[in-house]
RNA sequence: CGGGGUGUAGCGCAGCCUGGUAGCGCAUCUGCUUUGGGAGCAGAGGGCCGGGAGUUCAAAUCUCUCCACCCCGACCA
């Protein structure tokens, strides 16, 4: 992609409304644009990142045996009246009246809809267990949206729902999601800590929040410091096998959100206790038959009896993750994307656009990189070198190939690694092989 | 929902107290010079001063009102 032709409206100065670093950088790097309070447009560069995050979530859901579907954003009020939540949910739910005076709503979550789909389609215990998920926009009319995409009113969420015959089987579904969450966040470079959590209005008695420690987090959290050394990707994720040991390991140490915090128990940790702020990036619940009972979802069991399936629900804030990743990966110059979610893998900087040799050398390396499957952003703008360095640092691509007449005269270009700041001069060939490694 | 604050050019802001032809920096456009860390000079374009109502000879400025946005708290899959 040529930057001269790319829609990338970056800002030199900090927008006044953005208080936390991820919000500032998302606006400055041209990732998003605010449409109303808590509602954002995703611009091309931001959308690329959002899609990458989404894809990692999808791959890990699929590996764990969950199946993707897509439910609508707009739902009929009847289902919510059935579950009893239509009145209970309050003003956070955006209610809509259609032309036939029928009450509709913009879904804040999808338990009712998925339970309706399930009850109409599944009759036998032989069809269980099932985990269904979708990645869809949600709307919650928050009293006070803030921090950019971290607490938006409209946000992209992955929500999964499990249906099982009995408690033991439901626990296995819970464990699958638990492990897949560990892997999902780790693949994005995030150290997410599963913490005992309150179940809130969803109900149920088993719940974990996945928390990223960050000063700008909205929750007060407490955990054993050894969690910081845990490596989720080192865990073998064989979803056919027993996941109990992995879950046990990750829940063996103290970790709790504010609501579940037990000061007495925490005090026993002594110096090992971390008391910090955290960003909630995922939340999983087991809630038994709460919805299947309320909505009359039944299946025929092995004995021919009618049973309500045991359910759980599992959410990941996809759009929030983009902000959370930036909170974890940035420096004074801008964003520092982890490779797995970077919008482009390499930025090529032409330091002297208009110089034939320089233009040709850049075009050549861009072609070769793209032929090798790299996603390249080529800064061919008619700008001075300084502006190109600043832009590239701001948008945080993992690698910068810096090409100017000075180096090319000697047959070398400069490779800069954004995360470490290390630069080295290499021949074009060695630079190519390093970037494509 | 309680408390506080801000709306003036695409972005960041001054002007408001004390009413009198709307300004600065960046960005944009043109020209020349420059060219390895957000260039210099010269010129140009761009504003219902958030909306409405009022006071006044005269309102960005004073009054009332509505709206939007931000911050603190409460709330929050």
């Amino acid at each position: 992609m040529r930057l001269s032709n790319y829609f990338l409206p970056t800002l030199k100065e900090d927008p006044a409304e953005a208080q936390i670093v991820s919000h500032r950088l998302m606006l400055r790097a041209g990732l998003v644009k605010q449409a109303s309070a808590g509602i954002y447009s995703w611009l091309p560069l931001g959308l690329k990142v959002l899609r990458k995050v989404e894809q990692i979530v999808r791959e890990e859901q699929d590996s764990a045996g969950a199946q993707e579907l897509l439910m609508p954003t707009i739902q009929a009020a009847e289902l919510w009246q059935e579950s009893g939540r239509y009145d209970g949910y309050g003003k956070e739910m955006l209610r809509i009246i259609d032309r036939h005076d029928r009450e509709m709503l913009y879904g804040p979550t999808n338990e009712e809809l998925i339970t309706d789909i399930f009850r109409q389609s599944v009759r036998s215990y032989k069809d269980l267990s099932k985990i269904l998920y979708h990645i869809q926009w949600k709307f919650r009319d928050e009293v006070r949206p803030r921090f950019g995409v971290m607490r938006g009113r409209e946000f992209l969420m992955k929500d999964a729902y499990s249906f099982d015959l009995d408690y033991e089987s439901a626990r296995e579904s819970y464990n699958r999601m638990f492990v897949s969450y560990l892997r999902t966040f780790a693949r994005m470079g995030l150290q997410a800590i599963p913490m005992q959590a309150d179940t809130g209005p969803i109900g149920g008695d088993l719940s974990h929040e996945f928390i990223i420690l960050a000063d700008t987090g909205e929750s007060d959290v407490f955990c054993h410091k050894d969690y910081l050394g845990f490596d989720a990707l080192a865990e073998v994720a064989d979803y056919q096998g027993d996941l109990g040991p992995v879950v046990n390991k990750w829940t063996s140490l103290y970790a709790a959100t504010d609501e579940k915090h037990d000061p007495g128990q925490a005090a026993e940790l002594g110096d090992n206790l971390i008391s910090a702020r955290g960003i909630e990036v995922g939340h999983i619940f087991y809630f038994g038959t709460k919805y299947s009972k309320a909505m009359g979802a039944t299946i025929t069991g092995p004995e021919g009896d009618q049973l309500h399936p045991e359910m759980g629900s599992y959410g990941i804030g996809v759009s929030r993750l983009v902000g959370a990743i930036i909170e974890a990966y940035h420096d004074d110059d801008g964003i520092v994307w982890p490779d797995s979610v970077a919008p482009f893998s390499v930025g090529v900087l032409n330091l002297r656009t208009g110089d034939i040799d320089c233009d040709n050398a850049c075009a050549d390396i861009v072609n070769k990189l793209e032929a090798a499957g790299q996603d390249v952003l080529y800064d061919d703008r008619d700008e001075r070198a300084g502006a190109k360095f600043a832009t590239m640092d701001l948008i945080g691509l993992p690698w910068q190939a810096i090409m100017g007449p000075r180096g090319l005269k000697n047959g070398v270009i400069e490779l800069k690694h954004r995360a470490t700041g290390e630069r080295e001069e290499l021949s074009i060939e060695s630079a190519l092989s390093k970037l494509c490694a």
Side-chain angles (χ1 to χ4, degrees):
Chain A
M1 174 61 68
R2 284 173 178 261
L3 189 45
S4 62
N5 192 39
Y6 198 50
F7 186 70
L8 183 65
T10 57
L11 303 173
K12 223 184 223 181
E13 291 170 276
D14 285 329
E17 77 270 18
Q19 296 298 311
I20 67 169
V21 65
S22 62
H23 191 195
R24 278 204 302 273
L25 288 173
M26 288 187 79
L27 293 168
R28 283 196 53 208
L31 270 50
V32 295
K33 189 127 188 105
Q34 180 167 341
S36 321
I39 304 179
Y40 291 84
S41 299
W42 290 76
L43 306 182
L45 195 72
L47 183 61
K48 278 193 98 159
V49 176
L50 185 68
R51 293 288 188 238
K52 293 217 165 183
V53 169
E54 184 182 336
Q55 185 56 24
I56 290 173
V57 171
R58 176 175 289 116
E59 286 168 11
E60 292 300 327
Q61 289 291 292
D62 291 346
S63 316
Q67 299 177 52
E68 186 172 11
L69 48 73
L70 184 59
M71 290 177 269
T73 54
I74 306 291
Q75 308 178 22
E78 281 89 48
L79 286 176
W80 287 72
Q81 286 158 347
E82 246 188 279
S83 73
R85 284 209 290 179
Y86 192 60
D87 296 325
Y89 219 97
K91 296 184 98 166
E92 244 187 51
M93 181 146 73
L94 180 65
R95 295 151 204 264
I96 304 166
I97 306 288
D98 74 8
R99 67 194 301 158
H100 303 294
D101 274 339
R102 189 180 147 114
E103 292 179 66
M104 312 289 287
L105 58 98
Y106 196 116
T109 175
N110 284 65
E111 279 82 6
E112 282 77 2
L113 206 42
I114 195 76
T115 303
D116 183 53
I117 291 170
F118 181 90
R119 71 181 171 185
Q120 293 187 48
S121 319
V122 180
R123 301 267 90 93
S124 163
Y125 78 97
K126 292 178 187 170
D127 294 321
L128 299 182
S129 94
K130 286 276 180 292
I131 304 178
L132 302 170
Y133 76 98
H134 74 339
I135 300 173
Q136 178 63 290
W137 293 93
K138 305 289 187 296
F139 194 95
R140 292 179 193 167
D141 200 358
E142 299 275 354
V143 192
R144 180 148 102 88
R146 63 184 118 178
F147 301 152
V149 300
M150 302 284 273
R151 178 166 292 281
R153 292 194 292 169
E154 186 184 58
F155 56 98
L156 188 60
M157 182 182 185
K158 186 284 303 181
D159 41 325
Y161 304 91
S162 64
F163 299 88
D164 283 280
L165 180 61
D166 51 34
Y167 178 75
E168 285 66 35
S169 167
R171 276 307 299 263
E172 282 173 30
S173 292
Y174 188 90
N175 287 352
R176 277 169 186 259
M177 288 295 108
F178 188 103
V179 172
S180 87
Y181 276 35
L182 291 177
R183 294 184 51 83
T184 299
F185 301 127
R187 281 184 62 188
M188 298 168 193
L190 296 174
Q191 181 67 270
I193 302 166
M195 303 197 181
Q196 294 176 48
D198 202 20
T199 51
I202 297 284
D205 55 9
L206 178 57
S207 173
H208 286 90
E209 279 183 27
F210 289 75
I211 300 281
I212 311 291
L213 300 186
D215 293 338
T216 47
E218 292 192 84
S219 327
D220 288 309
V221 297
F222 307 86
C223 70
H224 196 292
K225 73 171 191 211
D226 284 359
Y227 271 115
L228 298 180
F230 280 21
D231 179 4
L233 291 179
E235 311 289 355
V236 179
D238 173 13
Y239 289 103
Q240 307 308 313
D242 182 10
L243 298 173
V246 179
V247 174
N248 287 342
K249 175 183 168 189
W250 283 80
T251 53
S252 59
L253 300 177
Y254 185 79
T257 58
D258 205 17
E259 303 84 43
K260 287 284 187 181
H261 182 48
D262 175 350
Q265 200 186 341
E268 292 171 18
L269 299 187
D271 289 344
N272 287 324
L273 177 71
I274 293 177
S275 169
R277 305 279 289 176
I279 301 168
E280 177 191 349
V281 289
H283 200 158
I284 61 179
F285 299 85
Y286 161 75
F287 48 71
T289 57
K290 178 179 164 103
Y291 295 96
S292 52
K293 246 182 199 154
M295 297 183 63
T298 57
I299 49 171
T300 307
E303 317 291 329
D305 42 348
Q306 293 297 300
L307 302 168
H308 296 294
E310 301 276 331
M311 294 176 59
S313 74
Y314 315 89
I316 291 180
V318 177
S319 46
R320 173 182 287 180
L321 270 170
V322 177
I325 291 167
I326 295 172
E327 288 292 327
Y329 292 98
H330 68 271
D331 60 20
D332 289 344
D333 295 321
I335 303 169
V336 185
W337 292 116
D339 293 357
S340 58
V341 298
F344 293 92
S345 51
V346 191
V348 173
L349 288 73
N350 184 341
L351 296 193
R352 188 73 63 80
T353 304
D355 178 284
I356 300 288
D357 294 336
C358 209
D359 289 350
N360 287 342
C362 287
D364 188 52
I365 200 170
V366 168
N367 284 338
K368 286 177 173 154
L369 285 167
E370 286 178 342
Q374 297 293 316
D375 203 1
V376 184
L377 185 63
Y378 172 30
D379 192 346
D380 61 334
R381 292 173 305 165
D382 185 19
E383 290 283 351
R384 294 167 61 90
K388 298 192 179 188
F389 289 129
T391 299
M392 207 50 87
D393 285 345
L394 174 64
I395 65 174
L397 308 185
W399 291 98
Q400 299 175 12
I402 300 166
M403 306 180 58
R406 205 171 73 191
L408 288 171
K409 206 172 356 176
N410 303 316
V412 297
I413 67 174
E414 194 173 307
L415 262 198
K416 175 178 166 185
H417 190 233
R418 179 68 178 85
T420 60
E422 283 169 21
R423 306 145 163 269
E424 55 180 333
E425 293 207 326
L426 296 169
S427 68
I428 293 186
E429 289 69 33
S430 355
L432 275 170
S433 58
K434 180 151 188 173
L435 289 172
C436 299

